[in-house]
Amino acid sequence: MTRPRVSVPDGYRCPLCPGHADPVFDDSPLVVGQPICAGCSVELKHHLTEDTRRDDDVLDRLEAFTGRSFEESRVLYLRELVLDLEDRLSPTGTGAGLAEDWAGSYGQTADSIRDDWRRLLASAKKRLALREMEVTSSIRAELGAAPARASRRC
């Protein structure tokens, strides 16, 4: 995702790997209000797009720190990914010029980068729809979705 790097006070430690100092931090939708290091950010992106949960220390610490399950965190991540890709593909979005900026760096045309983003967006939307059905009502409230309604019998 195109989250900006953030500045942190001297001595700040990533809440997911506090045993060492890190040079670069990202704002994360997974740990609201506390930046996480770029290493944890990349690792979480990989783990949260996989079909099954790996046995991983960063995932364990994320669950302990946030109180959210793996599935709940995955829904939050996929939701953020969908919003980010929609922003990149929107002609008026804040990420609208990224394809042109990245084209030279990645040896692709801006159109091929946007095509990749469209495919990723379609896949992320499908995965999100499937995962949203599996999460608790508390995460649905956090995402701003309407709570599931009980069926009424006459």
Side-chain angles (χ1 to χ4, degrees):
M1 285 182 271
T2 55
R3 294 208 158 267
R5 300 287 190 221
V6 294
S7 298
V8 296
D10 288 340
Y12 179 83
R13 299 294 174 112
C14 173
L16 303 181
C17 63
H20 62 272
D22 291 291
V24 181
F25 292 87
D26 295 331
D27 184 23
S28 172
L30 298 170
V31 184
V32 177
Q34 291 195 293
I36 62 173
C37 72
C40 285
S41 182
V42 168
E43 190 170 337
L44 288 171
K45 288 175 189 177
H46 291 292
H47 291 321
L48 293 171
T49 56
E50 294 176 348
D51 288 330
T52 58
R53 187 198 188 284
R54 289 181 180 243
D55 184 17
D56 181 79
D57 290 342
V58 173
L59 290 175
D60 293 343
R61 288 189 294 265
L62 177 67
E63 289 175 338
F65 188 78
T66 64
R68 273 191 236 103
S69 71
F70 172 74
E71 283 297 329
E72 291 168 334
S73 290
R74 180 173 21 204
V75 167
L76 284 175
Y77 174 77
L78 289 171
R79 185 54 153 154
E80 188 71 17
L81 178 61
V82 165
L83 293 173
D84 180 61
L85 289 167
E86 288 174 341
D87 179 65
R88 290 183 200 185
L89 291 165
S90 168
T92 58
T94 57
L98 280 177
E100 286 74 17
D101 292 345
W102 292 4
S105 300
Y106 293 99
Q108 291 179 277
T109 66
D111 286 339
S112 69
I113 290 172
R114 279 189 288 273
D115 287 344
D116 288 345
W117 289 344
R118 285 183 193 97
R119 282 190 292 278
L120 182 57
L121 177 59
S123 173
K125 282 182 173 181
K126 285 179 188 174
R127 295 180 86 182
L128 178 61
L130 289 172
R131 299 300 178 196
E132 280 183 324
M133 290 187 288
E134 298 173 1
V135 298
T136 65
S137 60
S138 64
I139 195 70
R140 289 175 193 221
E142 188 173 334
L143 291 172
R149 295 177 189 230
S151 62
R152 293 184 186 177
R153 294 188 177 184
C154 298

